[in-house]
């Protein structure tokens, strides 16, 4: 979700006061692209969403598509399609119910010897979407019933338990 904040609490308030870069993910990506950083965004395209219905998975893909449409951010929206051996039913089920959970960032970084730049990749980590956040103290479970009670989000699968009791998935 382009409106999600990357920081919380005192860190968020400090970032807002400093004002150099937005702590909101969408605004930050646009700011960096306008500074000359090549920003490539791959987001899951929820097959069940459109501009009227937000989709089963709450991925905010249509919102992101509109948000980045006239910016320098290169955004691509993809959905899982499965392999050529899938039946029609398997293909449709994968398009509707399976998401991309790959998280990666690739950046230009100074070489250790100072002779230029090299690509560095970071794999794994956070889900930059509604209700899934983390910081270096990992308080998610001990603060589920108070500060972060609305952060554990899963629009589809509760299986009879609330996310406050069961935790995020």
């Amino acid at each position: 979700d382009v409106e999600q904040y990357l920081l919380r609490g005192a860190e968020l308030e400090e970032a807002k006061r400093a004002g150099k870069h937005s702590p909101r993910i969408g605004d930050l990506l646009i700011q960096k692209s306008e500074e000359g950083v090549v920003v490539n965004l791959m987001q899951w395209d929820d097959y069940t969403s459109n501009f009227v219905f937000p989709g089963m998975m709450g991925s905010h893909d249509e919102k992101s598509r509109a948000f980045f449409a006239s910016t320098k951010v290169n955004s691509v929206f993809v959905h899982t399609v499965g392999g050529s051996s899938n039946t029609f039913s398997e293909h449709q089920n994968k398009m509707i119910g399976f998401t991309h959970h790959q998280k990666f960032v690739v950046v230009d970084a100074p070489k250790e010897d100072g002779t230029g730049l090299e690509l560095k990749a970071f794999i794994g980590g956070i889900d930059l979407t509604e209700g899934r956040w983390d910081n270096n103290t990992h308080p998610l479970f001990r603060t589920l019933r108070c500060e972060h009670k609305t952060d554990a989000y899963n629009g589809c699968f509760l299986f009879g338990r609330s996310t406050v009791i069961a935790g995020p998935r």
Side-chain angles (χ1 to χ4, degrees):
D1 184 0
V2 295
E3 295 181 7
Q4 291 301 301
Y5 285 100
L6 296 171
L7 305 170
R8 295 292 170 103
E11 293 171 328
L12 174 60
E13 296 310 312
E14 175 57 32
K16 286 180 178 179
R17 273 193 301 279
K20 181 176 180 183
H21 292 104
S22 175
R24 285 181 14 162
I25 183 84
D27 294 335
L28 179 63
L29 292 175
I30 290 172
Q31 285 175 317
K32 297 311 289 181
S33 71
E34 290 171 352
E35 291 174 9
V37 174
V38 176
V39 177
N40 297 310
L41 170 72
M42 181 180 78
Q43 182 171 338
W44 182 54
D45 190 359
D46 183 347
Y47 188 67
T48 65
S49 71
N50 55 50
F51 285 100
V52 177
F53 178 68
M56 287 177 30
M57 303 304 280
S59 68
H60 305 281
D61 55 323
E62 300 301 337
K63 183 182 192 180
S64 297
R65 190 185 316 270
F67 188 82
F68 292 119
S70 59
T71 71
K72 293 181 179 181
V73 173
N74 304 311
S75 51
V76 177
F77 297 83
V78 296
H79 51 260
T80 302
V81 294
S84 60
S85 65
N86 289 167
T87 65
F88 176 78
S89 176
E90 289 170 332
H91 176 77
Q92 293 297 83
N93 285 339
K94 287 180 181 175
M95 287 177 65
I96 292 170
F98 289 77
T99 64
H100 285 285
H101 284 262
Q102 298 88 354
K103 294 126 185 121
F104 58 91
V105 176
V106 180
V107 297
D108 286 327
K111 289 184 177 180
E112 289 187 26
D113 64 8
T115 61
L117 298 174
E118 64 183 346
L119 292 177
K120 281 201 175 178
F122 302 89
I123 308 294
I126 59 175
D127 241 344
L128 298 177
T129 190
E130 179 179 26
R132 299 177 192 142
W133 75 276
D134 197 0
N135 67 26
N136 61 356
T137 61
H138 307 287
L140 192 58
F141 290 99
R142 74 175 168 271
T143 58
L144 271 178
R145 296 180 196 271
C146 53
E147 184 179 352
H148 306 112
K149 67 183 176 184
T150 61
D151 285 350
Y153 173 77
N154 184 329
C156 293
F157 307 108
L158 289 178
F159 299 110
R161 301 179 300 165
S162 79
T163 54
V164 171
I165 294 168
R169 287 172 277 298

